């Protein structure tokens, strides 16, 4: 028999929890964060609530735990309500020996055998010194030789556009995978599981790493995970520029390295688009001490749109609803209201640019490539036909992956975790 959420626990009931991780709250000295890293579910409790969880998990009944807390802290606590709330959040495994239905699907992490001891040296003092030396050497080099800085011409390292698109997409895909692996490795260095997957941001196809479990570590440690991808990208750019500048590689290798530098720099610039929940969005999230800047910002923007709509329609006197940001702390409310403007304006500009420029470029390129393929099949240039076929294959594959990912993520949307903290980092793919 499985315990259901409607079954209220009695005073004599005994509760067993799933394996939980507890840490002090980042902002409240009288609170702790309790959660399940295996499913990315976390809640904040007063310290006495964490003590109650310890007592219950040690085998005390609810009534006995309440008596112990009253003796230790001289306070009356209704643990039945606490257990009911934690059960709804998916923290409770059994009540009186009966399993409780788990509403969450455990995260299936990639590289589960990777341990903190295997990779923690990558974030130690020696590694930081090597990294600083690499960046400093590259800065000196590009100051002396500014022609090494990336240019749009670096994308076309061959006269065959289709071949350039195919190879550059492959190079970018490899660097994007390593970018996400750096997030995964950084999370594993903190003992948190992680998983890489496809996702979408507006019209972008992205790779993202689900590292929601790092909510179990203090804020100062989470920056390591947020920034590890960008730092890896910067290290690759520096290494490639130094090879080009000092090793004198053959022209083909030189061109490919320059293309790698260009596509990585372009992806690093996209990280500034914080309205799409990029790596820097999560840095901003913690710097501003916000719990869920994106969803709260969207809710506030919808509230403003509803209020403007009610004001614009004659005869409508119904309220537009309560301000969803009103219940937030003052510092968080200010941040949410400013961020909501960035979400609306940034999304509108990005979508308008895609409609005005991105879609026409994609269609024009597809028509040109299709014409080359047809011409090649009817006696024209075979090389031009192959080049056109490569363009169609690459863009068609990326768009198909985007549509499939969009359907999976939006048609079967799951509710967000209780801590409303979606920590995946995204790396845009070159989908047009």
């Amino acid at each position: 028999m499985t315990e259901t959420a409607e079954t209220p626990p009695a005073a004599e009931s005994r509760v067993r929890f799933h394996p939980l991780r507890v840490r002090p709250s980042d902002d409240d000295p009288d609170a702790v964060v309790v959660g399940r890293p295996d499913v990315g579910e976390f809640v904040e409790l007063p310290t006495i609530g964490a003590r109650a969880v310890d007592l219950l998990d040690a085998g005390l009944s609810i009534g006995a735990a309440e008596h112990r807390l009253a003796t230790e802290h001289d306070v009356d606590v209704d643990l039945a309500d606490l257990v009911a709330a934690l059960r709804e959040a998916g923290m409770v495994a059994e009540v009186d020996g009966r399993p409780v239905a788990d509403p969450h699907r455990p995260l299936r992490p990639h590289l589960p055998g990777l341990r903190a001891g295997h990779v923690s040296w990558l974030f130690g003092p020696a590694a930081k010194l090597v990294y600083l030396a690499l960046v400093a050497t590259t800065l000196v080099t590009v100051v002396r030789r500014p022609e090494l800085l990336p240019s749009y011409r670096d994308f076309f390292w061959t006269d065959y556009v289709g071949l350039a698109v195919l190879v550059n997409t492959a190079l970018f895909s490899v660097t994007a995978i390593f970018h996400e692996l750096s997030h995964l490795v950084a999370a594993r260095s903190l003992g948190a599981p992680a998983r890489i997957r496809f996702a979408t941001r507006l019209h972008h196809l992205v790779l993202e790493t689900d590292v929601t479990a790092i909510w179990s570590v203090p804020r100062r440690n989470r920056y390591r995970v947020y920034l590890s991808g960008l730092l890896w990208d910067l290290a690759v750019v520096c290494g490639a520029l130094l090879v080009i500048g000092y090793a004198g590689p053959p022209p083909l290798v030189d061109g490919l390295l320059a293309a790698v530098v260009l596509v990585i720099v372009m992806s690093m610039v996209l990280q500034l688009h914080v309205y799409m929940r990029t790596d820097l969005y999560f840095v901003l999230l913690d710097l501003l001490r916000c719990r869920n800047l994106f969803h709260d910002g969207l809710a506030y923007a919808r509230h403003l749109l509803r209020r403007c709509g009610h004001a614009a329609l004659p005869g409508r006197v119904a309220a537009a609803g309560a301000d969803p940001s009103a219940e937030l702390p003052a510092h968080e409310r200010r941040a949410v209201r400013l961020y909501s403007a960035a979400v609306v304006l940034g999304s509108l500009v990005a979508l308008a640019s895609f409609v005005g420029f991105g879609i026409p470029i994609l269609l024009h390129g597809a028509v040109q490539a299709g014409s080359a393929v047809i011409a090649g099949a009817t006696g024209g240039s075979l090389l031009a036909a192959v080049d056109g076929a490569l363009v169609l294959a690459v863009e068609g594959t990326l768009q198909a992956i985007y549509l499939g990912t969009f359907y999976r993520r939006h048609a079967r949307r799951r509710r967000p975790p209780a801590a409303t903290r979606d920590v995946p980092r995204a790396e845009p793919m070159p989908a047009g």
Side-chain angles (χ1 to χ4, degrees):
M1 177 180 176
T2 300
E3 188 80 11
T4 65
E6 288 74 20
T7 307
E12 63 274 11
S13 294
R14 299 180 185 274
V15 179
R16 185 179 69 81
F17 295 94
H18 290 284
L20 302 178
R21 185 174 296 181
V22 182
R23 68 162 176 85
S25 171
D26 293 310
D27 303 306
D28 187 348
D30 297 322
V32 295
V33 173
V34 179
R36 293 178 58 188
D38 61 321
V39 298
E41 193 78 9
F42 297 90
V43 296
E44 192 169 81
L45 298 176
T47 52
I48 194 171
R51 174 59 176 159
V53 170
D54 288 339
L55 294 174
L56 293 171
D57 215 25
L60 271 67
S61 67
I62 289 178
E66 289 176 343
H67 179 73
R68 177 75 66 87
L69 290 174
T71 301
E72 293 178 351
H73 300 278
D74 191 25
V75 61
D76 292 329
V77 181
D78 187 349
L79 293 188
D81 286 346
L82 175 64
V83 170
L86 293 177
R87 180 166 57 185
E88 185 176 355
M91 307 289 178
V92 177
E94 293 180 358
V95 175
D96 293 329
R98 295 190 296 273
V100 173
D102 191 347
H104 306 296
R105 181 182 302 174
L107 175 71
R108 292 178 296 173
H110 287 131
L111 304 181
L114 193 64
R115 298 289 183 265
H118 299 155
V119 294
S120 57
W121 61 274
L122 290 170
F123 306 93
K128 292 176 182 176
L129 287 175
V130 171
Y131 180 80
L132 289 174
L134 177 65
V135 173
T137 303
T138 305
L139 288 175
V140 172
T141 300
V142 297
V143 168
R144 295 175 57 189
R145 298 182 56 185
E147 70 274 9
L148 292 175
L149 292 173
S151 163
Y152 75 91
R153 298 181 182 88
D154 294 331
F155 189 90
F156 302 101
W157 49 270
T158 174
D159 293 334
Y160 295 101
V161 176
L163 182 60
V165 170
L166 174 65
V167 174
N168 290 352
T169 300
L171 290 174
F172 181 86
S173 299
V174 171
T175 60
I177 290 171
F178 277 98
H179 175 105
E180 298 307 321
L181 280 172
S182 69
H183 289 305
L184 186 147
V185 168
R188 298 303 297 134
S189 73
L190 299 172
R195 182 176 178 83
I196 300 172
R197 62 195 180 191
F198 281 112
T200 60
R201 297 287 189 273
L202 294 178
H203 56 279
H204 292 285
L205 174 67
V206 304
L207 280 176
E208 68 177 17
T209 305
D210 185 345
V211 289
T212 314
I214 67 165
W215 188 229
S216 64
V217 303
R219 176 182 287 119
R220 65 180 182 277
N221 294 333
R222 297 198 291 268
Y223 293 117
R224 173 192 297 184
V225 181
Y226 302 154
L227 294 173
S228 58
L230 277 170
L231 294 177
W232 166 261
D233 289 344
L234 185 58
V236 173
V237 167
C238 291
L241 289 175
L242 292 178
V243 170
I244 295 171
Y246 296 108
L252 177 60
V253 175
D254 186 288
L256 290 174
L257 289 175
V260 168
V261 170
L262 176 64
V263 296
I264 292 180
V265 168
M266 290 172 62
S267 72
M268 293 172 70
V269 171
L270 283 175
Q271 297 292 345
L272 294 171
H273 297 194
V274 293
Y275 60 89
M276 292 197 303
R277 288 175 296 165
T278 58
D279 295 353
L280 293 182
Y281 160 80
F282 290 96
V283 174
L284 187 66
L285 186 75
D286 270 350
L287 285 176
L288 295 177
R289 303 295 198 266
C290 293
R291 189 172 292 271
N292 197 320
L293 196 57
F294 181 78
H295 288 94
D296 290 341
L298 278 183
Y300 182 69
R302 293 191 188 103
H303 165 72
L304 291 182
L305 290 174
R306 286 194 299 268
R307 192 169 69 179
C308 291
H310 279 272
L313 294 176
R316 294 293 299 274
V317 295
D323 180 354
S325 68
E327 297 181 357
L328 298 174
H331 76 279
E332 195 167 348
R333 182 165 59 251
R334 290 191 295 267
V336 164
R337 291 177 176 178
L338 287 173
Y339 180 77
S340 67
V343 169
V344 173
L345 294 177
S347 299
L348 288 176
V349 170
L351 290 174
S353 298
F354 182 62
V355 171
F357 299 101
I359 292 178
I361 289 173
L362 280 173
L363 293 177
H364 179 75
V367 170
Q368 292 291 98
S371 299
V373 172
I374 293 173
T378 56
S381 170
L382 180 60
L383 288 178
V386 172
D387 194 57
L390 289 176
V391 173
L392 292 176
V394 171
E395 289 298 335
T397 300
L398 290 174
Q399 298 304 326
I401 295 174
Y402 173 87
L403 292 174
T405 303
F406 185 89
Y407 172 77
R408 288 195 302 272
R409 297 296 297 273
H410 294 273
R412 293 177 289 180
R413 188 186 299 273
R414 295 187 299 173
R415 70 179 183 86
T420 57
R421 167 73 63 128
D422 55 348
V423 186
R425 304 326 64 251
E427 180 65 22
M429 298 287 286

